[in-house]
Amino acid sequence: MYELVQAVLDSDEKTALRQLISELYSSGRQYFLQNEILQAFEDYCHKFQKPAYFYHSSTIGELIHYTHEILLEEESVWFLFRPRIASQEVCKLAADLTSVEPMTPQALLDLRDRLVNRYQPQILEIDLGPFYEPSPTIRDPRNIGKGLEFLNRYLSSKLFADPQHWLEALFKFLHEHKHNSIPLLVNDRIHSATQLSQQVKQALRVVGNLPANEPYEKFRFQLQELGFEPGWGNTASRVRETLELLDRLIDTPDHAVNEAFISRIPLTFHVVLVSVHGWVGQEGVLGRAETAGQVAYVLDQAYSLDKKLHEDIKLAGLDLLGIQPQVIILTRLIPNCEGTLCNQRIEKVQGTENTWILRVPFAEFNPKVTQNWISKFEIWPYLETFALDAERELLAKFGGRPDLIIGNYSDGNLVASLLARRLKVTHCNIAHSLEKSKYLFSDLYWQDLEEQYHFSLQFSADLISMNAADFIITSSYHEIMGTPDTTGQYESYKCFTMPQLYHVVNGIELFSPKFNVVPPGVNEKSFFPYSQTEDRVPDDQQRVYELLFTREDRQILGHLENLDKRPIFALAPLKSVKNFTGLVECFGQSQELQERCHLILVTGKLHSSEATNLEEKGEIERLHELVNQYHLEHKMRWLGMRLTSRDLGEAYRVIADCQGIFVHPARFEAFGVTILEAMLSGLPTFATQFGGSLEIIQHGENGFHINPTNLEETATKILEFIRQCEINPQYWQKISEQAIKRVREKYNWQLHTNRLLLLTKIYSFWNYASQDNREAMLRYLEALFYLMYKPRAEKLLEQHRQR
């Protein structure tokens, strides 16, 4: 980018750059983001009557389109460029454009501090980069999020290049593997990798002479004499296939064979899913509005894991030993549980063989707070003690250590990292959504936001847990790296400042193979296509139809005069980022939309007196203002209530019966499970172009992208679809069927769980066999926890005690 800047300065376009910068200075502002920069350049081109090509095709136009930030000082202008995904460059120009020089990330962070008048010359710098240097890294940004594929190829290349070392490591890994002191796979009769190779061939001769369906227990002791314990398969054919894969891996290493073999090995029996701050339960509660999606995800994931683990145990022949896999959802016990079961220590997950919700109370050193639900922004002081207490409970419940700990959200991942460190087990990080990306300048102005959000604790916890994790699961590529025009959630942790607290010059290695895109599925018991009539309950259908369209209730606003219009359906908690006010304003401003459609909103609340925070209160009040301003009382319905999963699934289907559409108007959405639910139900879906939905929906094929900040354009896209449906009655059906197909093929829990367990096995072997010294990084992260995180958590605890 330095060369591009220099090219502008050496050309006639230098005058245009000087004039543009002068326009920025005249605004009186110092900080400009990408959309503001593009708008300023467009305004400049219009003001100075530049030809049409100048905005897009000139050298300065190219430079501006790569620019993500411009920062103005009295004597200099700083440009932050993002020439491609996963790459940032900084240049400083003299204000008179006489010179340009590249700048370091440290210099940029100092500048940002100066611009908010919070600069201090000596400040803690956090740099995780050196700890990733010994590890293999991905080179091509397009392969970020494909860590499993990369690591498989890397491992097979190592096996090929240094077979003795890696085969010995594989032998030891198999030999040492046990479950609760029960030896599995390889016993003491085999002493080396060389002998393992020989014995595999002998074992293959034994099982090759047996009928394919011969049960393992009939030839178990023959294999045991050769050095093989249970775990290879439940029949002769299954054992033969697994041993053949090992034989091929030993003789001719290949990444596909490596993956196939590792996937067969029974390594995972006990799994912990950590979800701390939500109301985690099954009856009468499914999280709070802010965590309902997370809790549904965890319950669905647990159900799928339970099913898959039991299948794998049976296929491996381990049911012969009475081995029972177990999944535990670890959450907090809430004494004042508001009529739910969240005050019960243990609860069986319905429909599973051996999955439980284990609730551990927060230590009773502050009962006025800990007896009640605690917001995700306030929970930080209690997590370390919770982790220690949970460790004892888990060891007792499992009768030993778990094999995998999965953290959910920032608080759950911090607890997971503490548990995994103490128990020395594999840690998977699932953020779901990182708050840093949701709140503009939340790092730069953290001190102003600290009383309400405590971002110093959350961002520190994120840095600790995401780097401590053995692997990270994201729902989309966008979550890691964003797009060519937008920064990804994890990418936002790469380099940032929290003035007067610390600078992060390298907070996460985005090219690390620890990142894996593994999208979730949908609970197909609750959410299935509207056309699947044999699974629908007519009474539910009628009741939910009346709820959406006709029922009178204190928690429902609006009375529809004409029920024949096409419904527009939207569902979300009342948060500003969900942008329901934008959707209502879009509907209110379009007379044609009002003539052709009804708007039906489902939120958790209807009255401002029900709000639990200022943001929620503001959203409710603004929605009421818009309803009155555009006289929408007879053109929309607003349900201020929480629907059960069963009713919500039927709500999507009832809207589909009416050939309606689903709109997700969020300003940003990390992924959007409701998008999957609506699509699987058969609803043509219009979803924000800002976030993971870009990867869910293929525009025009199985749904549509909208820019929710452009209300007129959003209305136009919806109306274009409706007109197409009127011209071609099969068009709605076509998009509906393609939406169902998209979700079924790519977003299902079976795919997710198979991938998750394979990741666990591959990363467990990698950590065992590699020469990387993760201990140094973990010690560094411990220092951050005890010297940065913990003192601030104790300070927050003191505030809680004074309430």
Side-chain angles (χ1 to χ4, degrees):
M1 295 307 300
Y2 174 84
E3 292 77 10
L4 187 60
V5 175
Q6 194 64 57
V8 173
L9 297 182
D10 292 341
S11 70
D12 295 339
E13 294 177 11
K14 180 177 180 179
T15 301
L17 181 59
R18 180 180 290 112
Q19 290 169 335
L20 174 62
I21 290 172
S22 177
E23 293 286 315
L24 295 178
Y25 270 112
S26 67
S27 71
R29 297 172 56 204
Q30 292 182 285
Y31 211 133
F32 298 86
L33 299 178
Q34 184 185 38
N35 60 330
E36 298 167 323
I37 297 164
L38 291 172
Q39 186 61 56
F41 185 53
E42 184 179 345
D43 294 343
Y44 163 80
C45 292
H46 179 74
K47 179 178 179 179
F48 288 87
Q49 299 181 337
K50 296 294 182 182
Y53 82 89
F54 194 81
Y55 179 79
H56 295 286
S57 306
S58 62
T59 306
I60 187 176
E62 183 182 0
L63 181 75
I64 292 301
H65 281 82
Y66 282 129
T67 303
H68 272 240
E69 294 180 16
I70 291 178
L71 301 92
L72 303 179
E73 286 196 297
E74 187 175 341
E75 301 295 332
S76 59
V77 182
W78 295 59
F79 282 75
L80 173 64
F81 301 111
R82 194 166 179 263
R84 55 193 172 277
I85 282 177
S87 174
Q88 289 190 351
E89 298 176 25
V90 183
C91 285
K92 182 175 78 169
L93 283 72
D96 59 3
L97 304 188
T98 56
S99 64
V100 58
E101 58 179 317
M103 303 302 292
T104 64
Q106 290 90 333
L108 176 65
L109 299 180
D110 284 341
L111 171 62
R112 287 173 173 163
D113 289 355
R114 290 198 297 272
L115 292 184
V116 295
N117 298 315
R118 285 171 176 163
Y119 171 73
Q120 65 183 47
Q122 301 296 325
I123 190 168
L124 172 66
E125 282 191 355
I126 297 174
D127 185 359
L128 278 300
F131 299 106
Y132 285 97
E133 287 175 2
S135 304
T137 55
I138 293 167
R139 296 182 182 274
D140 189 341
R142 291 172 297 184
N143 290 329
I144 292 173
K146 299 178 181 178
L148 176 64
E149 292 87 339
F150 175 86
L151 207 52
N152 256 329
R153 291 179 184 275
Y154 185 82
L155 283 169
S156 61
S157 70
K158 287 291 185 182
L159 273 165
F160 186 81
D162 187 4
Q164 192 57 42
H165 166 75
W166 285 90
L167 288 175
E168 199 64 38
L170 178 60
F171 160 69
K172 290 179 180 177
F173 185 67
L174 298 175
H175 182 261
E176 294 176 13
H177 186 53
K178 294 178 174 60
H179 173 67
N180 289 352
S181 301
I182 301 172
L184 304 176
L185 299 172
V186 175
N187 63 36
D188 292 338
R189 290 184 174 89
I190 300 176
H191 304 287
S192 68
T194 302
Q195 189 182 4
L196 174 66
S197 177
Q198 297 167 352
Q199 296 302 92
V200 166
K201 289 176 169 53
Q202 285 198 43
L204 280 170
R205 285 193 287 271
V206 170
V207 295
N209 294 321
L210 298 174
N213 293 326
E214 184 84 353
Y216 169 72
E217 57 265 29
K218 291 193 175 181
F219 57 91
R220 171 186 177 183
F221 297 108
Q222 288 177 269
L223 290 186
Q224 203 169 47
E225 286 294 320
L226 294 174
F228 297 99
E229 294 293 334
W232 298 96
N234 61 337
T235 64
S237 62
R238 180 81 182 181
V239 172
R240 184 175 63 249
E241 290 168 6
T242 309
L243 289 171
E244 282 175 347
L245 287 169
L246 178 57
D247 191 43
R248 289 174 59 192
L249 187 62
I250 292 171
D251 291 343
T252 55
D254 174 82
H255 68 276
V257 175
N258 184 59
E259 179 175 323
F261 173 67
I262 293 289
S263 70
R264 292 282 190 114
I265 301 174
L267 297 178
T268 309
F269 306 96
H270 293 161
V271 179
V272 182
L273 312 179
V274 187
S275 180
V276 183
H277 71 270
W279 294 80
V280 180
Q282 302 174 89
E283 296 179 12
V285 59
L286 191 65
R288 287 244 172 156
E290 66 182 26
T291 56
Q294 178 197 145
V295 175
Y297 180 110
V298 171
L299 285 169
D300 290 345
Q301 186 184 60
Y303 180 87
S304 184
L305 275 168
D306 181 274
K307 182 179 178 182
K308 175 63 176 170
L309 288 172
H310 279 86
E311 289 174 355
D312 286 353
I313 293 296
K314 186 174 181 180
L315 284 172
L318 295 181
D319 51 345
L320 178 71
L321 303 180
I323 291 176
Q324 276 287 311
Q326 188 173 24
V327 179
I328 289 179
I329 300 172
L330 174 65
T331 189
R332 63 170 296 230
L333 185 146
I334 307 174
N336 296 335
C337 62
E338 300 181 14
T340 71
L341 299 179
C342 292
N343 63 347
Q344 292 190 7
R345 177 183 170 275
I346 196 83
E347 180 184 352
K348 178 80 177 293
V349 175
Q350 298 162 7
T352 67
E353 291 193 50
N354 199 15
T355 293
W356 304 82
I357 300 171
L358 174 65
R359 301 186 182 94
V360 177
F362 282 170
E364 290 300 320
F365 45 76
N366 193 22
K368 286 184 180 179
V369 174
T370 57
Q371 293 283 324
N372 305 298
W373 175 79
I374 302 173
S375 161
K376 63 184 178 182
F377 298 117
E378 299 275 335
I379 203 167
W380 309 106
Y382 310 100
L383 297 181
E384 183 183 14
T385 306
F386 174 80
L388 294 172
D389 293 341
E391 179 185 350
R392 291 190 292 272
E393 297 263 10
L394 289 170
L395 290 173
K397 190 78 173 76
F398 284 134
R401 297 184 306 164
D403 304 299
L404 171 66
I405 300 176
I406 303 174
N408 291 273
Y409 198 72
S410 298
D411 51 350
N413 273 303
L414 184 66
V415 170
S417 68
L418 295 172
L419 285 168
R421 174 74 168 139
R422 289 177 58 84
L423 296 172
K424 298 185 177 359
V425 298
T426 305
H427 168 207
C428 167
N429 178 300
I430 307 179
H432 295 284
S433 178
L434 292 162
E435 299 293 332
K436 188 171 179 294
S437 303
K438 293 183 182 179
Y439 297 85
L440 188 63
F441 296 130
S442 53
D443 49 0
L444 198 57
Y445 293 100
W446 71 272
Q447 285 145 304
D448 301 327
L449 302 167
E450 188 72 355
E451 185 176 349
Q452 183 176 359
Y453 295 112
H454 305 288
F455 285 142
S456 68
L457 284 158
Q458 180 150 13
F459 299 167
S460 299
D462 288 335
L463 283 171
I464 292 166
S465 60
M466 68 176 62
N467 284 287
D470 294 288
F471 63 97
I472 296 172
I473 280 181
T474 69
S475 297
S476 65
Y477 177 90
H478 182 280
E479 196 175 329
I480 310 168
M481 295 307 309
T483 68
D485 298 320
T486 61
T487 301
Q489 291 186 63
Y490 281 94
E491 187 183 4
S492 72
Y493 283 79
K494 178 75 173 175
C495 181
F496 67 95
T497 174
M498 301 191 79
Q500 299 176 335
L501 185 64
Y502 55 66
H503 283 175
V504 176
V505 296
N506 192 344
I508 184 70
E509 177 50 70
L510 300 166
F511 287 85
S512 168
K514 72 165 55 182
F515 283 103
N516 289 272
V517 177
V518 186
V522 181
N523 182 342
E524 296 193 37
K525 288 187 175 180
S526 298
F527 306 100
F528 53 85
Y530 75 102
S531 55
Q532 211 165 297
T533 53
E534 66 277 11
D535 293 320
R536 297 179 68 178
V537 179
D539 287 348
D540 287 353
Q541 204 170 334
Q542 181 62 32
R543 178 174 53 80
V544 172
Y545 177 87
E546 292 172 359
L547 178 68
L548 294 176
F549 291 97
T550 62
R551 184 193 298 178
E552 299 289 333
D553 192 287
R554 183 182 176 277
Q555 292 302 118
I556 300 176
L557 175 70
H559 177 78
L560 303 179
E561 294 179 340
N562 180 357
L563 296 179
D564 294 330
K565 295 180 182 179
R566 192 184 300 268
I568 298 172
F569 186 52
L571 165 84
L574 286 163
K575 300 167 71 174
S576 60
V577 72
K578 298 301 183 182
N579 195 33
F580 263 28
T581 56
L583 177 60
V584 172
E585 192 153 18
C586 171
F587 185 74
Q589 289 177 2
S590 174
Q591 287 300 316
E592 189 175 357
L593 267 183
Q594 294 174 42
E595 289 168 5
R596 292 169 176 265
C597 302
H598 293 309
L599 178 62
I600 300 177
L601 309 180
V602 176
T603 67
K605 291 155 190 174
L606 179 66
H607 308 287
S608 59
S609 59
E610 300 164 348
T612 56
N613 56 60
L614 291 175
E615 180 183 14
E616 201 172 60
K617 186 173 185 288
E619 288 296 296
I620 293 172
E621 290 175 349
R622 178 60 180 151
L623 281 172
H624 281 290
E625 288 173 8
L626 291 169
V627 171
N628 293 331
Q629 177 183 344
Y630 293 107
H631 308 291
L632 300 177
E633 298 88 344
H634 301 298
K635 300 172 182 177
M636 66 171 283
R637 296 262 288 175
W638 174 7
L639 283 67
M641 56 183 67
R642 296 281 302 280
L643 302 184
T644 65
S645 294
R646 176 173 172 171
D647 283 353
L648 178 56
E650 192 56 42
Y652 289 123
R653 292 188 287 272
V654 164
I655 298 294
D657 291 334
C658 303
Q659 295 216 321
I661 64 173
F662 180 76
V663 179
H664 191 87
R667 296 188 186 94
F668 174 81
E669 183 60 66
F671 186 67
V673 173
T674 56
I675 296 170
L676 296 183
E677 293 169 353
M679 291 174 69
L680 185 58
S681 302
L683 279 175
T685 297
F686 293 72
T688 178
Q689 67 186 37
F690 303 120
S693 56
L694 274 177
E695 294 171 43
I696 299 174
I697 290 174
Q698 298 160 308
H699 183 76
E701 294 184 28
N702 44 48
F704 305 90
H705 300 140
I706 58 172
N707 179 352
T709 63
N710 188 327
L711 304 184
E712 184 178 350
E713 180 185 279
T714 297
T716 299
K717 284 189 175 181
I718 295 173
L719 286 167
E720 283 175 357
F721 172 76
I722 292 170
R723 293 189 196 106
Q724 280 276 32
C725 293
E726 291 172 351
I727 294 169
N728 176 11
Q730 296 304 310
Y731 186 60
W732 185 95
Q733 190 69 31
K734 174 189 171 186
I735 299 297
S736 171
E737 290 173 357
Q738 289 299 317
I740 295 167
K741 182 181 177 185
R742 174 71 170 168
V743 176
R744 280 189 163 159
E745 289 182 351
K746 186 162 184 181
Y747 301 97
N748 67 73
W749 281 112
Q750 183 178 353
L751 285 175
H752 174 98
T753 305
N754 290 347
R755 198 73 167 170
L756 172 61
L757 293 176
L758 179 57
L759 285 165
T760 303
K761 295 171 182 180
I762 291 289
Y763 284 89
S764 296
F765 175 59
W766 169 251
N767 287 339
Y768 179 88
S770 73
Q771 299 300 307
D772 292 353
N773 183 10
R774 293 191 74 244
E775 185 63 23
M777 178 191 282
L778 295 174
R779 287 290 187 186
Y780 185 89
L781 297 172
E782 276 184 358
L784 288 179
F785 178 83
Y786 286 108
L787 300 178
M788 180 60 63
Y789 173 91
K790 191 168 181 177
R792 300 198 68 82
E794 289 172 347
K795 183 178 178 182
L796 178 57
L797 179 59
E798 284 304 312
Q799 294 175 14
H800 284 188
R801 282 174 168 157
Q802 293 169 15
R803 289 179 180 175

